[in-house]
Amino acid sequence: MSSSKTVRKVQVVSPVPADIDIANSVEPIHISQIAQHLNLTPNHYDLYGKYKAKVLLSVLDELQGSQDGYYVVVGGITPTPLGEGKSTTTVGLCQALGAYLDKKVDLFLSSTSVDCATYFSDIEFNVGNLKFLSSKYLLIIFTVVTCVRQPSQGPTFGIKGGAAGGGYSQVIPMDEFNLHLTGDIHAITAANNLLAAAIDTRIFHESTQSDKALFNRLCPPNKEGKRSFSDVMFKRLEKLGISKTNPDDLTPEEIGKFARLDIDPASITWRRVMDINDRFLRKITIGQGPDEKGKVRETAFDISVASEIMAVLALTTSLADMRERLGKMVIGNSKSGDPVTADDLGVGGALTVLMKDAINPTLMQTLEGTPVLVHAGPFANIAHGNSSIVADKIALKLVGPGGYVVTEAGFGADIGTEKFMNIKCRYSGLKPQCAIIVATIRALKMHGGGPAVVAGKPLDHAYLTENVALVEAGCVNLARHITNTKAYGVNVVVAINKFSTDTEAELHAVRNASLAAGAYDAVISSHHAHGGRGAVDLGIAVQKACENVAQPLKFLYPLDVGIKEKIEAIAKSYGASGVEYSEQAEKQIEMYTKQGFSGLPICMAKTQYSFSDNAAAKGAPSGFILPIRDVRASIGAGFIYPLVGTMSTMPGLPTRPCFYDIDIDTTTGKVIGLS
């Protein structure tokens, strides 16, 4: 661990300026200094400019035998469309742990000791575990790493804005974070669309050629007249039970099985993607060109972060594992009902080549100079909504025993935290010690029966004036999230994200309700307005929660039960009294079970705005029947995903998208208006 200190205190002002103005007011530390603070040498990372670097997976190999730090996941209550500040809380907590609270590693002794009164002169609380020596306080540098998802450009230019946090708790440079970053989403887009092109091309060529002609083109003779299989072809041969290694030894029947995938166009689930909200691509027709010989079919575009390749990136554990997962992705079925994979199409290796740099997490920093690993960005309502396993694993090794890794799970805890536990932790083998649930007075009032909260419209008067009864009524939503999350065997800390309009009586009501529901602690946090300093109490609570948990991780369901049993276990946690399956869902469950995929975990695709399938059902609804309209599979990523109600995988733009406010200062070259 390096003894150089990279954290910095940011001068806060009130009222809080726009996010981009705060981000632009701070000169980031060169990323090599952030890396040095984590004991990374230049051999451990590749620079992407001055403020970003790709951390190489070789770090995991080097630190394989070292112990992990504490693992903290940040979820939230069921949110309003405005969001309740999970990303901001994640960053603010890490700034508190890394820039204000002492916990770990390097001691500045004798002449390098720092006068605590000088260093902590702007802090109005006691830091209890600083050591005293010769009238000097020994400053202990704390090690903490933030792990967050990369935001999609669709919502950034659409209705949501960026996802770098907000106020004085942000990842910087926030314009680079929210836009191209290091190109991971572009790599996913390219790989996804290469596979889409391979599918339709294969259907086209199979429709115009005999088995023998197909085989001759797939395995052409070289100059000496000898044929050979490419490496990826052996995966298909193995799948077919053909052990021969010489193409010339295949029988006519084996040639037909090998060369003809016979894809059923009606079964194709793979779509093209792009990282922009474009509602007019939700349904399209392809193959209308004169050279495609009538191979017309309907399909659609998804947003890039909804691609299964994004989910693969987030759940992979190594380059070899990613290669395996990408090759196993199922794009549809043959006409005889057998699953067709990317490796059947011969494209698994090429997909991995396109993703070889994307597998490395991106190192960045917070406003206060604490390290951040940014990696992957699967949607939480249609995918599992968590940053990558490899980023978390690298971070846990880098912070070491006593250090902290704080990772965010998307949307409410019923979606993001549930999938974090039952999908991500199953594949990673990691166990969190603490789960944070972010709550706001605004959202609790909505769940208590307050007027609708609509993005882009001013908040109703009910959200700007004190109403303790409305807050208390809404705490049923928070209580259910606490109960569900505690069941995993972790301590739950409620982070009450304070707004300027919140009153002491309202905040006190939330704390009381949280403790009554079984939370380990409930803490008021003002990190948006004050940065790390505003989250110190939260940091102390998290430290205590992590140090006082000894239970093993408990999953919501075992993997060896049927698909329906798993779906129903999750539905019960929502408050449902039962599950109703459409005819299509029943058909898909039967097919996936027959194909041998029933042992996978479940990734429920559901609205983020309610425990139920009805976004308008606030609070903690119960006794409802959860409708499953379809069931699909991400075999490469490693989960089955039921569709609850109607879920869109391609968002649309509102009447006034965020891009109206985004521009560039042509004198300085700085981005303005990004939120």
Side-chain angles (χ1 to χ4, degrees), residues 581-589 628-631:
Y581 300 92
S582 70
E583 184 179 342
Q584 173 67 11
E586 293 276 12
K587 177 183 174 183
Q588 293 297 105
I589 290 171
I628 306 297
R629 69 175 178 88
D630 199 359
V631 177

Coordinates of all heavy atoms in Angstrom, one line a residue, residues 581-589 628-631:
Y581 N -49.2 -17.9 -15.5 CA -48.3 -18.0 -16.7 C -49.2 -18.0 -18.0 O -50.2 -18.7 -18.1 CB -47.6 -19.3 -16.6 CG -46.7 -19.5 -15.4 CD1 -47.2 -20.1 -14.2 CD2 -45.4 -19.0 -15.4 CE1 -46.4 -20.2 -13.1 CE2 -44.6 -19.1 -14.3 CZ -45.1 -19.7 -13.1 OH -44.3 -19.8 -12.0
S582 N -48.7 -17.2 -18.9 CA -49.4 -17.2 -20.2 C -49.1 -18.5 -21.0 O -48.2 -19.3 -20.6 CB -48.9 -16.1 -21.1 OG -47.5 -16.3 -21.5
E583 N -49.8 -18.8 -22.0 CA -49.6 -20.0 -22.8 C -48.1 -20.0 -23.4 O -47.5 -21.0 -23.4 CB -50.6 -20.1 -23.9 CG -50.5 -21.3 -24.8 CD -51.5 -21.4 -25.9 OE1 -52.5 -20.6 -25.8 OE2 -51.3 -22.2 -26.8
Q584 N -47.7 -18.8 -23.8 CA -46.3 -18.7 -24.3 C -45.3 -19.0 -23.2 O -44.3 -19.7 -23.5 CB -46.1 -17.3 -24.9 CG -44.7 -17.0 -25.3 CD -44.2 -17.8 -26.5 OE1 -45.0 -18.5 -27.2 NE2 -42.9 -17.7 -26.8
A585 N -45.5 -18.5 -22.0 CA -44.6 -18.7 -20.9 C -44.5 -20.2 -20.6 O -43.4 -20.7 -20.3 CB -45.0 -17.9 -19.7
E586 N -45.7 -20.8 -20.5 CA -45.7 -22.3 -20.3 C -44.9 -23.1 -21.3 O -44.1 -24.0 -21.0 CB -47.1 -22.8 -20.2 CG -48.0 -22.2 -19.1 CD -47.8 -23.0 -17.8 OE1 -46.9 -23.9 -17.7 OE2 -48.6 -22.8 -16.9
K587 N -45.1 -22.7 -22.6 CA -44.4 -23.3 -23.7 C -42.8 -23.2 -23.5 O -42.1 -24.1 -23.7 CB -44.9 -22.8 -25.0 CG -44.2 -23.3 -26.2 CD -44.7 -22.6 -27.5 CE -43.9 -23.0 -28.7 NZ -44.4 -22.3 -29.9
Q588 N -42.4 -21.9 -23.2 CA -41.0 -21.7 -23.1 C -40.4 -22.4 -21.9 O -39.2 -22.9 -22.0 CB -40.7 -20.2 -22.9 CG -41.1 -19.4 -24.2 CD -40.2 -19.8 -25.4 OE1 -40.6 -20.4 -26.3 NE2 -38.9 -19.3 -25.4
I589 N -41.1 -22.4 -20.8 CA -40.6 -23.1 -19.6 C -40.4 -24.6 -19.9 O -39.4 -25.2 -19.5 CB -41.5 -23.0 -18.4 CG1 -41.5 -21.5 -17.9 CG2 -41.2 -23.9 -17.3 CD1 -42.5 -21.2 -16.9
I628 N -46.8 -13.7 -15.7 CA -45.6 -14.0 -16.5 C -46.1 -14.2 -17.9 O -46.7 -15.2 -18.3 CB -44.9 -15.2 -16.0 CG1 -44.6 -15.2 -14.5 CG2 -43.6 -15.5 -16.8 CD1 -43.7 -14.0 -14.1
R629 N -45.8 -13.2 -18.8 CA -46.3 -13.2 -20.1 C -45.3 -14.0 -21.1 O -45.8 -14.5 -22.1 CB -46.5 -11.8 -20.7 CG -45.3 -11.0 -21.0 CD -45.7 -9.7 -21.6 NE -44.5 -8.8 -21.8 CZ -43.8 -8.8 -23.0 NH1 -44.1 -9.7 -23.9 NH2 -42.7 -8.0 -23.1
D630 N -44.1 -14.1 -20.7 CA -43.1 -14.8 -21.5 C -41.9 -15.2 -20.7 O -41.7 -14.6 -19.6 CB -42.7 -14.0 -22.7 CG -42.1 -14.8 -23.9 OD1 -42.0 -16.1 -23.7 OD2 -41.7 -14.2 -24.9
V631 N -41.2 -16.2 -21.1 CA -39.9 -16.6 -20.4 C -38.9 -16.7 -21.5 O -39.1 -17.5 -22.5 CB -40.1 -17.9 -19.7 CG1 -38.8 -18.3 -19.0 CG2 -41.2 -17.7 -18.6

